[in-house]
Coordinates of all heavy atoms in Angstrom, one line a residue:
M90 N 20.7 -99.6 -76.2 CA 19.7 -99.4 -77.2 C 19.8 -98.1 -77.9 O 19.6 -98.0 -79.1 CB 18.3 -99.6 -76.6 CG 18.0 -101.0 -76.1 SD 16.5 -101.3 -75.3 CE 15.4 -100.0 -75.7
V91 N 20.0 -97.0 -77.2 CA 20.2 -95.7 -77.8 C 21.4 -95.6 -78.7 O 21.3 -95.1 -79.8 CB 20.2 -94.6 -76.7 CG1 20.6 -93.2 -77.2 CG2 18.9 -94.5 -75.9
Y92 N 22.5 -96.2 -78.2 CA 23.7 -96.2 -79.0 C 23.5 -96.9 -80.4 O 23.9 -96.4 -81.4 CB 24.8 -96.9 -78.2 CG 26.2 -96.8 -78.9 CD1 26.9 -95.6 -78.9 CD2 26.7 -97.9 -79.6 CE1 28.1 -95.5 -79.5 CE2 27.9 -97.8 -80.3 CZ 28.6 -96.6 -80.2 OH 29.8 -96.5 -80.8
D93 N 22.8 -98.0 -80.4 CA 22.5 -98.7 -81.6 C 21.7 -97.9 -82.6 O 22.0 -97.8 -83.8 CB 21.8 -100.1 -81.3 CG 22.7 -101.1 -80.7 OD1 24.0 -101.0 -80.9 OD2 22.2 -102.0 -80.1
E94 N 20.7 -97.2 -82.0 CA 19.8 -96.3 -82.9 C 20.6 -95.2 -83.4 O 20.5 -94.7 -84.6 CB 18.6 -95.9 -82.1 CG 17.6 -97.0 -81.9 CD 16.3 -96.5 -81.4 OE1 15.8 -95.5 -82.0 OE2 15.7 -97.1 -80.5
L95 N 21.5 -94.6 -82.6 CA 22.4 -93.5 -83.0 C 23.3 -94.0 -84.2 O 23.6 -93.2 -85.1 CB 23.2 -92.9 -81.9 CG 22.3 -92.1 -80.9 CD1 23.2 -91.7 -79.7 CD2 21.7 -90.8 -81.5
R96 N 23.8 -95.2 -84.0 CA 24.7 -95.7 -85.1 C 24.0 -95.9 -86.4 O 24.5 -95.6 -87.5 CB 25.4 -97.0 -84.7 CG 26.5 -96.8 -83.7 CD 27.6 -97.8 -83.6 NE 27.8 -98.8 -84.6 CZ 28.5 -98.6 -85.8 NH1 29.1 -97.5 -86.0 NH2 28.6 -99.6 -86.6
K97 N 22.7 -96.4 -86.3 CA 21.9 -96.5 -87.5 C 21.6 -95.2 -88.2 O 21.7 -95.0 -89.4 CB 20.6 -97.2 -87.2 CG 20.7 -98.7 -86.9 CD 19.4 -99.3 -86.5 CE 19.6 -100.7 -86.0 NZ 18.4 -101.3 -85.4
L98 N 21.3 -94.2 -87.3 CA 21.1 -92.8 -87.8 C 22.4 -92.3 -88.5 O 22.3 -91.7 -89.6 CB 20.7 -91.9 -86.7 CG 20.3 -90.5 -86.9 CD1 19.1 -90.4 -87.9 CD2 20.0 -89.8 -85.6
A99 N 23.5 -92.5 -87.9 CA 24.8 -92.0 -88.4 C 25.1 -92.7 -89.7 O 25.5 -92.1 -90.7 CB 25.9 -92.3 -87.4
A100 N 24.8 -94.0 -89.8 CA 25.1 -94.8 -91.0 C 24.2 -94.3 -92.2 O 24.6 -94.1 -93.3 CB 24.9 -96.3 -90.8
A101 N 22.9 -93.9 -91.8 CA 22.0 -93.4 -92.8 C 22.5 -92.0 -93.3 O 22.4 -91.8 -94.5 CB 20.6 -93.3 -92.3
N102 N 23.0 -91.2 -92.4 CA 23.5 -89.9 -92.8 C 24.7 -90.1 -93.7 O 24.9 -89.4 -94.7 CB 23.9 -89.1 -91.6 CG 22.7 -88.4 -91.0 OD1 21.8 -87.8 -91.7 ND2 22.6 -88.3 -89.7
L103 N 25.6 -91.0 -93.4 CA 26.8 -91.2 -94.1 C 26.5 -91.8 -95.5 O 27.2 -91.5 -96.5 CB 27.8 -92.1 -93.4 CG 28.5 -91.4 -92.2 CD1 29.2 -92.4 -91.3 CD2 29.4 -90.3 -92.7
A104 N 25.5 -92.6 -95.6 CA 25.1 -93.2 -96.9 C 24.7 -92.2 -97.9 O 24.8 -92.4 -99.1 CB 24.0 -94.2 -96.7
R105 N 24.2 -91.0 -97.4 CA 23.8 -89.9 -98.3 C 25.0 -89.0 -98.7 O 24.8 -88.2 -99.6 CB 22.7 -89.1 -97.7 CG 21.4 -89.8 -97.6 CD 20.3 -88.9 -97.1 NE 20.5 -88.4 -95.7 CZ 20.0 -89.0 -94.6 NH1 19.3 -90.1 -94.7 NH2 20.3 -88.5 -93.5
E106 N 26.2 -89.3 -98.2 CA 27.3 -88.5 -98.5 C 28.1 -89.0 -99.7 O 27.9 -90.2 -100.1 CB 28.3 -88.4 -97.3 CG 27.7 -87.7 -96.1 CD 27.5 -86.2 -96.3 OE1 28.4 -85.6 -96.8 OE2 26.4 -85.7 -96.0
K107 N 29.0 -88.3 -100.2 CA 29.8 -88.7 -101.3 C 30.7 -89.9 -100.9 O 31.1 -90.0 -99.7 CB 30.7 -87.6 -101.8 CG 30.0 -86.5 -102.6 CD 31.0 -85.5 -103.1 CE 30.3 -84.4 -103.9 NZ 31.3 -83.4 -104.4
A108 N 31.1 -90.8 -101.8 CA 31.9 -91.9 -101.5 C 33.3 -91.4 -101.1 O 33.7 -90.3 -101.5 CB 32.1 -92.8 -102.7
G109 N 34.0 -92.1 -100.3 CA 35.3 -91.8 -99.8 C 35.3 -90.8 -98.6 O 36.3 -90.2 -98.3
H110 N 34.2 -90.7 -97.9 CA 34.1 -89.9 -96.8 C 35.0 -90.5 -95.7 O 35.1 -91.7 -95.5 CB 32.7 -89.8 -96.3 CG 32.4 -88.6 -95.5 ND1 32.8 -88.4 -94.2 CD2 31.8 -87.4 -95.9 CE1 32.4 -87.2 -93.8 NE2 31.8 -86.6 -94.8
T111 N 35.7 -89.6 -94.9 CA 36.7 -90.1 -93.9 C 36.0 -90.4 -92.6 O 36.6 -91.2 -91.8 CB 37.8 -89.0 -93.7 OG1 37.2 -87.8 -93.3 CG2 38.6 -88.8 -95.0
L112 N 34.9 -89.9 -92.3 CA 34.2 -90.2 -91.1 C 33.5 -91.6 -91.1 O 33.0 -92.0 -92.2 CB 33.1 -89.2 -90.7 CG 33.6 -87.8 -90.2 CD1 32.4 -86.9 -90.1 CD2 34.2 -88.0 -88.8
Q113 N 33.5 -92.3 -90.0 CA 32.8 -93.5 -89.9 C 31.6 -93.3 -89.0 O 31.6 -92.3 -88.2 CB 33.7 -94.6 -89.3 CG 34.9 -94.9 -90.2 CD 35.8 -96.0 -89.6 OE1 35.6 -96.3 -88.4 NE2 36.7 -96.5 -90.4
A114 N 30.6 -94.2 -89.0 CA 29.4 -94.0 -88.2 C 29.8 -93.9 -86.7 O 29.2 -93.1 -86.0 CB 28.5 -95.2 -88.4
T115 N 30.7 -94.7 -86.2 CA 31.0 -94.7 -84.8 C 31.6 -93.3 -84.4 O 31.2 -92.7 -83.4 CB 32.1 -95.8 -84.5 OG1 31.5 -97.0 -84.8 CG2 32.4 -95.8 -83.0
S116 N 32.5 -92.8 -85.2 CA 33.1 -91.5 -84.8 C 32.1 -90.4 -85.0 O 32.1 -89.4 -84.2 CB 34.3 -91.2 -85.7 OG 34.0 -91.2 -87.1
L117 N 31.1 -90.5 -85.9 CA 30.1 -89.5 -86.0 C 29.2 -89.5 -84.8 O 28.8 -88.5 -84.3 CB 29.3 -89.7 -87.3 CG 28.2 -88.7 -87.7 CD1 28.7 -87.3 -87.8 CD2 27.5 -89.1 -89.0
V118 N 28.8 -90.7 -84.3 CA 28.0 -90.8 -83.1 C 28.7 -90.2 -81.9 O 28.1 -89.5 -81.1 CB 27.7 -92.3 -82.8 CG1 27.1 -92.5 -81.4 CG2 26.7 -92.9 -83.9
H119 N 30.0 -90.5 -81.8 CA 30.7 -90.0 -80.6 C 30.8 -88.5 -80.6 O 30.7 -87.9 -79.6 CB 32.1 -90.7 -80.6 CG 32.1 -92.1 -80.3 ND1 33.2 -92.9 -80.2 CD2 31.1 -93.0 -80.1 CE1 32.9 -94.1 -80.0 NE2 31.6 -94.2 -79.9
E120 N 31.1 -87.9 -81.8 CA 31.2 -86.5 -81.9 C 29.8 -85.8 -81.6 O 29.8 -84.8 -80.9 CB 31.7 -86.1 -83.3 CG 31.9 -84.6 -83.5 CD 32.9 -84.0 -82.6 OE1 33.9 -84.6 -82.2 OE2 32.7 -82.8 -82.2
A121 N 28.8 -86.4 -82.2 CA 27.4 -85.9 -81.9 C 27.1 -86.0 -80.4 O 26.5 -85.0 -79.9 CB 26.4 -86.6 -82.7
Y122 N 27.4 -87.1 -79.8 CA 27.2 -87.2 -78.4 C 27.9 -86.1 -77.6 O 27.3 -85.5 -76.7 CB 27.6 -88.6 -77.9 CG 27.4 -88.8 -76.4 CD1 26.2 -89.1 -75.9 CD2 28.5 -88.7 -75.6 CE1 26.0 -89.3 -74.5 CE2 28.3 -88.8 -74.2 CZ 27.1 -89.2 -73.7 OH 26.9 -89.3 -72.4
L123 N 29.1 -85.9 -77.9 CA 29.9 -84.9 -77.2 C 29.2 -83.5 -77.3 O 29.1 -82.7 -76.4 CB 31.3 -84.8 -77.7 CG 32.2 -86.0 -77.3 CD1 33.6 -85.8 -78.0 CD2 32.4 -86.0 -75.8
R124 N 28.7 -83.2 -78.5 CA 28.0 -81.9 -78.7 C 26.7 -81.9 -78.0 O 26.2 -80.8 -77.5 CB 27.8 -81.7 -80.2 CG 29.0 -81.4 -80.9 CD 28.8 -81.1 -82.3 NE 30.1 -80.9 -83.0 CZ 30.2 -80.2 -84.1 NH1 29.2 -79.6 -84.7 NH2 31.4 -80.1 -84.7
L125 N 26.0 -83.0 -77.9 CA 24.7 -83.1 -77.2 C 24.8 -82.9 -75.7 O 23.9 -82.4 -75.0 CB 24.0 -84.4 -77.5 CG 23.4 -84.5 -78.9 CD1 22.9 -85.9 -79.2 CD2 22.3 -83.5 -79.2
V126 N 25.9 -83.5 -75.1 CA 26.0 -83.4 -73.7 C 26.9 -82.4 -73.1 O 27.2 -82.3 -72.0 CB 26.4 -84.8 -73.1 CG1 25.4 -85.9 -73.4 CG2 27.8 -85.2 -73.6
K127 N 27.4 -81.5 -74.1 CA 28.3 -80.5 -73.7 C 27.7 -79.7 -72.5 O 26.5 -79.4 -72.6 CB 28.7 -79.6 -74.8 CG 29.7 -78.5 -74.5 CD 29.9 -77.6 -75.7 CE 30.8 -78.3 -76.8 NZ 31.1 -77.4 -77.9
E128 N 28.5 -79.3 -71.6 CA 28.1 -78.6 -70.4 C 27.4 -77.3 -70.9 O 27.9 -76.6 -71.8 CB 29.2 -78.2 -69.5 CG 28.9 -77.8 -68.2 CD 30.1 -77.7 -67.3 OE1 30.9 -78.7 -67.3 OE2 30.1 -76.7 -66.5
P129 N 26.2 -77.0 -70.4 CA 25.5 -75.8 -70.8 C 26.3 -74.5 -70.5 O 27.0 -74.4 -69.5 CB 24.2 -75.8 -70.0 CG 24.2 -77.0 -69.1 CD 25.5 -77.7 -69.3
R130 N 26.1 -73.6 -71.4 CA 26.8 -72.3 -71.2 C 25.9 -71.4 -70.3 O 24.7 -71.6 -70.2 CB 27.0 -71.7 -72.6 CG 28.0 -72.5 -73.4 CD 28.2 -71.8 -74.7 NE 29.2 -72.6 -75.5 CZ 29.0 -73.5 -76.4 NH1 27.7 -73.8 -76.7 NH2 29.9 -74.1 -77.0
P131 N 26.5 -70.3 -69.8 CA 25.7 -69.4 -69.0 C 24.7 -68.7 -69.8 O 24.9 -68.5 -71.1 CB 26.7 -68.4 -68.4 CG 28.0 -68.6 -69.2 CD 27.9 -70.0 -69.8
P132 N 23.6 -68.2 -69.3 CA 22.5 -67.5 -70.0 C 23.1 -66.3 -70.8 O 22.6 -66.0 -71.8 CB 21.5 -67.1 -69.0 CG 21.7 -68.0 -67.8 CD 23.2 -68.4 -67.9
S133 N 24.1 -65.7 -70.3 CA 24.7 -64.5 -70.9 C 25.3 -64.8 -72.3 O 25.5 -64.0 -73.1 CB 25.7 -63.9 -70.0 OG 26.8 -64.8 -69.8
A134 N 25.5 -66.1 -72.5 CA 26.1 -66.5 -73.8 C 25.0 -66.6 -74.9 O 25.4 -66.7 -76.1 CB 26.8 -67.9 -73.7
G135 N 23.8 -66.5 -74.5 CA 22.7 -66.5 -75.5 C 22.4 -67.9 -76.0 O 21.7 -68.1 -77.0
I136 N 22.9 -68.9 -75.4 CA 22.6 -70.3 -75.8 C 21.9 -71.0 -74.6 O 22.4 -71.0 -73.5 CB 23.9 -71.0 -76.1 CG1 24.6 -70.3 -77.3 CG2 23.7 -72.5 -76.5 CD1 26.0 -70.8 -77.6
E137 N 20.8 -71.6 -74.9 CA 20.0 -72.3 -73.8 C 20.6 -73.7 -73.5 O 21.3 -74.3 -74.4 CB 18.6 -72.5 -74.3 CG 17.8 -71.2 -74.5 CD 16.4 -71.5 -74.9 OE1 15.9 -72.6 -74.7 OE2 15.8 -70.6 -75.5
S138 N 20.5 -74.1 -72.3 CA 20.9 -75.5 -72.0 C 20.0 -76.5 -72.7 O 18.9 -76.1 -73.1 CB 20.9 -75.7 -70.5 OG 19.6 -75.6 -70.0
K139 N 20.5 -77.7 -72.8 CA 19.8 -78.7 -73.6 C 18.8 -79.5 -72.8 O 19.2 -80.1 -71.8 CB 20.8 -79.6 -74.3 CG 21.7 -78.8 -75.2 CD 22.6 -79.7 -76.0 CE 23.5 -78.9 -77.0 NZ 24.1 -77.7 -76.6
H140 N 17.6 -79.4 -73.1 CA 16.5 -80.2 -72.5 C 15.7 -80.8 -73.6 O 15.3 -80.2 -74.5 CB 15.6 -79.3 -71.6 CG 16.3 -78.6 -70.5 ND1 16.7 -79.2 -69.3 CD2 16.8 -77.3 -70.4 CE1 17.3 -78.4 -68.6 NE2 17.4 -77.2 -69.2
W141 N 15.5 -82.1 -73.4 CA 14.8 -82.9 -74.5 C 13.4 -83.2 -73.9 O 13.2 -83.6 -72.8 CB 15.5 -84.1 -74.9 CG 16.8 -83.8 -75.5 CD1 17.0 -83.2 -76.7 CD2 18.1 -84.0 -74.9 NE1 18.3 -83.1 -76.9 CE2 19.0 -83.5 -75.9 CE3 18.6 -84.5 -73.7 CZ2 20.4 -83.6 -75.6 CZ3 19.9 -84.5 -73.5 CH2 20.8 -84.1 -74.5
N142 N 12.4 -83.0 -74.8 CA 11.0 -83.3 -74.5 C 10.6 -84.7 -75.0 O 9.7 -84.8 -75.7 CB 10.1 -82.3 -75.1 CG 10.4 -80.9 -74.6 OD1 10.7 -80.7 -73.4 ND2 10.2 -79.9 -75.4
G143 N 11.4 -85.7 -74.7 CA 11.1 -87.0 -75.1 C 12.1 -87.6 -76.0 O 13.1 -87.0 -76.5
R144 N 11.9 -88.9 -76.3 CA 12.8 -89.6 -77.2 C 12.9 -89.0 -78.6 O 14.0 -88.9 -79.1 CB 12.3 -91.1 -77.3 CG 13.1 -92.0 -78.1 CD 12.4 -93.4 -78.0 NE 13.1 -94.3 -78.8 CZ 14.2 -95.1 -78.3 NH1 14.6 -94.9 -77.1 NH2 14.8 -95.9 -79.1
G145 N 11.8 -88.7 -79.2 CA 11.8 -88.1 -80.5 C 12.6 -86.8 -80.6 O 13.4 -86.6 -81.6
H146 N 12.5 -86.0 -79.6 CA 13.2 -84.7 -79.6 C 14.7 -85.0 -79.4 O 15.5 -84.3 -80.1 CB 12.7 -83.9 -78.4 CG 13.2 -82.5 -78.4 ND1 13.4 -81.8 -77.2 CD2 13.6 -81.7 -79.3 CE1 13.9 -80.6 -77.5 NE2 14.0 -80.5 -78.8
F147 N 15.1 -85.9 -78.6 CA 16.5 -86.3 -78.5 C 17.1 -86.7 -79.8 O 18.2 -86.3 -80.2 CB 16.7 -87.4 -77.4 CG 18.1 -87.9 -77.4 CD1 19.1 -87.2 -76.8 CD2 18.4 -89.1 -78.0 CE1 20.4 -87.7 -76.7 CE2 19.7 -89.6 -78.0 CZ 20.7 -88.9 -77.4
F148 N 16.4 -87.6 -80.5 CA 16.9 -88.2 -81.8 C 16.9 -87.1 -82.9 O 17.8 -87.1 -83.7 CB 16.2 -89.4 -82.2 CG 16.6 -90.7 -81.4 CD1 15.8 -91.2 -80.4 CD2 17.9 -91.2 -81.7 CE1 16.3 -92.3 -79.7 CE2 18.3 -92.3 -81.0 CZ 17.5 -92.9 -80.0
A149 N 16.0 -86.2 -82.8 CA 16.0 -85.1 -83.8 C 17.2 -84.2 -83.5 O 17.9 -83.7 -84.5 CB 14.7 -84.3 -83.7
A150 N 17.5 -83.9 -82.2 CA 18.7 -83.1 -81.9 C 20.0 -83.9 -82.3 O 20.9 -83.2 -82.8 CB 18.7 -82.8 -80.4
A151 N 20.0 -85.2 -82.1 CA 21.2 -86.0 -82.5 C 21.4 -85.9 -84.0 O 22.5 -85.8 -84.5 CB 21.1 -87.4 -82.0
A152 N 20.3 -86.0 -84.8 CA 20.3 -86.0 -86.2 C 20.9 -84.6 -86.7 O 21.7 -84.6 -87.6 CB 19.0 -86.3 -86.8
E153 N 20.4 -83.6 -86.1 CA 20.8 -82.2 -86.5 C 22.3 -82.1 -86.2 O 23.1 -81.5 -87.0 CB 20.0 -81.2 -85.7 CG 20.4 -79.8 -86.0 CD 20.2 -79.3 -87.4 OE1 19.3 -79.9 -88.0 OE2 20.9 -78.4 -87.8
A154 N 22.8 -82.6 -85.0 CA 24.2 -82.5 -84.7 C 25.0 -83.2 -85.7 O 26.1 -82.8 -86.1 CB 24.4 -83.1 -83.2
M155 N 24.6 -84.4 -86.1 CA 25.3 -85.2 -87.1 C 25.4 -84.5 -88.4 O 26.4 -84.4 -89.1 CB 24.6 -86.6 -87.3 CG 24.8 -87.5 -86.1 SD 24.1 -89.1 -86.4 CE 24.0 -89.7 -84.7
R156 N 24.3 -83.9 -88.8 CA 24.3 -83.1 -90.1 C 25.3 -82.0 -90.0 O 26.0 -81.7 -91.0 CB 22.9 -82.6 -90.4 CG 22.0 -83.7 -91.0 CD 20.7 -83.1 -91.6 NE 19.8 -82.5 -90.5 CZ 19.0 -83.1 -89.8 NH1 18.8 -84.4 -89.9 NH2 18.2 -82.5 -88.9
R157 N 25.3 -81.3 -88.9 CA 26.2 -80.1 -88.8 C 27.7 -80.6 -88.8 O 28.5 -79.9 -89.4 CB 25.9 -79.4 -87.5 CG 24.6 -78.6 -87.6 CD 24.3 -77.9 -86.3 NE 23.0 -77.3 -86.4 CZ 22.7 -76.2 -85.7 NH1 23.5 -75.7 -84.9 NH2 21.5 -75.7 -85.9
I158 N 27.9 -81.7 -88.2 CA 29.3 -82.3 -88.2 C 29.7 -82.6 -89.6 O 30.8 -82.3 -90.0 CB 29.4 -83.5 -87.3 CG1 29.2 -83.1 -85.8 CG2 30.7 -84.3 -87.5 CD1 28.9 -84.3 -84.9
L159 N 28.8 -83.2 -90.4 CA 29.1 -83.6 -91.8 C 29.3 -82.3 -92.6 O 30.2 -82.3 -93.5 CB 28.0 -84.5 -92.4 CG 27.9 -85.9 -91.8 CD1 26.7 -86.6 -92.2 CD2 29.1 -86.7 -92.2
V160 N 28.6 -81.3 -92.4 CA 28.7 -80.1 -93.1 C 30.1 -79.5 -92.8 O 30.9 -79.0 -93.7 CB 27.6 -79.0 -92.8 CG1 28.0 -77.7 -93.3 CG2 26.3 -79.5 -93.4
E161 N 30.5 -79.4 -91.5 CA 31.8 -78.9 -91.1 C 32.9 -79.7 -91.7 O 33.9 -79.2 -92.1 CB 31.9 -78.9 -89.6 CG 31.0 -77.9 -88.9 CD 30.9 -78.0 -87.4 OE1 31.7 -78.8 -86.9 OE2 30.0 -77.4 -86.8
S162 N 32.7 -81.0 -91.7 CA 33.7 -81.9 -92.3 C 33.9 -81.7 -93.8 O 35.0 -81.7 -94.3 CB 33.3 -83.4 -92.1 OG 34.3 -84.2 -92.6
A163 N 32.8 -81.4 -94.5 CA 32.9 -81.1 -95.9 C 33.6 -79.8 -96.2 O 34.2 -79.7 -97.2 CB 31.5 -81.1 -96.5
R164 N 33.5 -78.9 -95.3 CA 34.1 -77.6 -95.5 C 35.6 -77.8 -95.4 O 36.4 -77.2 -96.0 CB 33.7 -76.6 -94.5 CG 32.3 -76.1 -94.7 CD 31.9 -75.0 -93.7 NE 30.5 -74.7 -93.9 CZ 29.8 -74.3 -92.9 NH1 30.3 -74.0 -91.7 NH2 28.5 -74.0 -93.1

């Protein structure tokens, strides 16, 4: 169920991009997932581990990860 919602979110993000984009919704979901579940770094790195406060928080984090991936891809 989560995967289907992430694919819909990815498709919506891609629909707002210019035509001819090389990323597909599936690859965007997979890349975002890898970023979301990446092993937490030590506190000395200045980056907090990822903890979600519910479903909405998780999907907001996924949407942000997808946007960042699209920005990096555009660069």
